[in-house]
Amino acid sequence: MSKVVVDIAASLDGFVAGPNQSADAPLGVGAETVLHRWMFEAEQENASELAAITDAGAFVMGRNMFSPGRGEWDLTWRGWWGEEPPYHAPVFVLTHYERSPLEMAGGTTFHFVTGGITEALRLAREAAGDRNVSVAGGAATVNQFLTAGLVDELRLHVAPVLLGEGERLFDGVGRTRLTQIEARQTSLVTHLRYTVHPG
């Protein structure tokens, strides 16, 4: 049966992005090299987790994860990933500003949703069919989904670093019971999987 999963890298103190995010530092100053180091420097060691991150029928992400802009769209902006993003599936981007769908190479199409997380999830479920829907981030988007009780499985990839500031996971999320499914340590990261029980 289809599930809603969250797959996100975080520091030990719960930050998924550092301070001062910008076009030059999409994850904030200094965060990219420590939070996602395991993806690039130890790809084989973490191959199963890397494969699972993009193994979904559709994705939902916040606008900040797609673009550095905050107001009306710069229509020349086509995402951080080049002409062939890694998703290879429909991606539903939460935004306050309408924009026509953006079709990319490799099967990824970005759809821009102004109706909030419920509308984005409905569209993503329709697109995913029997496959999972992945909530890709960032922190504010994941926190909204957790608060609304819409997440079935939480997959955290915890880097051994304390960032101290930035965009923090779980801020504003109320009491939530988790059942641990799996914990696996590799040289640069600890992978944690939980079933989420809201309430």
Side-chain angles (χ1 to χ4, degrees):
M1 182 178 172
S2 176
K3 297 186 294 188
V4 177
V5 302
V6 167
D7 235 312
I8 197 161
S11 65
L12 194 60
D13 52 348
F15 292 97
V16 303
N20 304 316
Q21 290 173 270
S22 67
D24 294 329
L27 279 180
V29 176
E32 178 80 35
T33 55
V34 292
L35 291 184
H36 293 166
R37 184 177 163 209
W38 60 277
M39 294 180 172
F40 307 106
E41 295 181 26
E43 186 176 350
Q44 290 303 321
E45 193 179 12
N46 300 286
S48 60
E49 288 81 10
L50 287 168
I53 288 173
T54 53
D55 183 27
F59 297 82
V60 177
M61 67 174 59
R63 169 153 180 182
N64 293 1
M65 188 166 173
F66 175 81
S67 164
R70 299 297 182 264
E72 293 288 347
W73 287 104
D74 170 4
L75 297 180
T76 64
W77 181 262
R78 297 171 62 84
W80 302 103
W81 306 276
E83 287 302 305
E84 187 173 349
Y87 302 102
H88 308 294
V91 180
F92 297 88
V93 180
L94 296 163
T95 178
H96 296 295
Y97 298 89
E98 292 185 359
R99 181 174 177 175
S100 298
L102 180 59
E103 189 172 340
M104 308 291 284
T108 300
T109 299
F110 292 103
H111 302 271
F112 302 92
V113 181
T114 58
I117 62 170
T118 304
E119 176 72 0
L121 181 56
R122 181 185 69 77
L123 294 169
R125 281 192 189 278
E126 289 175 1
D130 293 333
R131 297 180 68 194
N132 289 344
V133 171
S134 177
V135 180
T141 298
V142 172
N143 292 345
Q144 287 181 65
F145 272 85
L146 286 169
T147 298
L150 297 175
V151 177
D152 299 305
E153 185 175 310
L154 176 63
R155 304 170 185 170
L156 292 178
H157 311 285
V158 182
V161 63
L162 300 174
L163 287 181
E165 59 180 329
E167 297 294 320
R168 193 169 188 278
L169 205 56
F170 308 131
D171 274 355
V173 177
R175 181 181 176 86
T176 305
R177 187 168 59 90
L178 307 172
T179 299
Q180 186 165 297
I181 303 170
E182 183 181 15
R184 191 172 89 87
Q185 176 188 347
T186 65
S187 61
L188 299 176
V189 65
T190 300
H191 304 288
L192 302 171
R193 289 178 60 211
Y194 300 96
T195 298
V196 182
H197 309 281

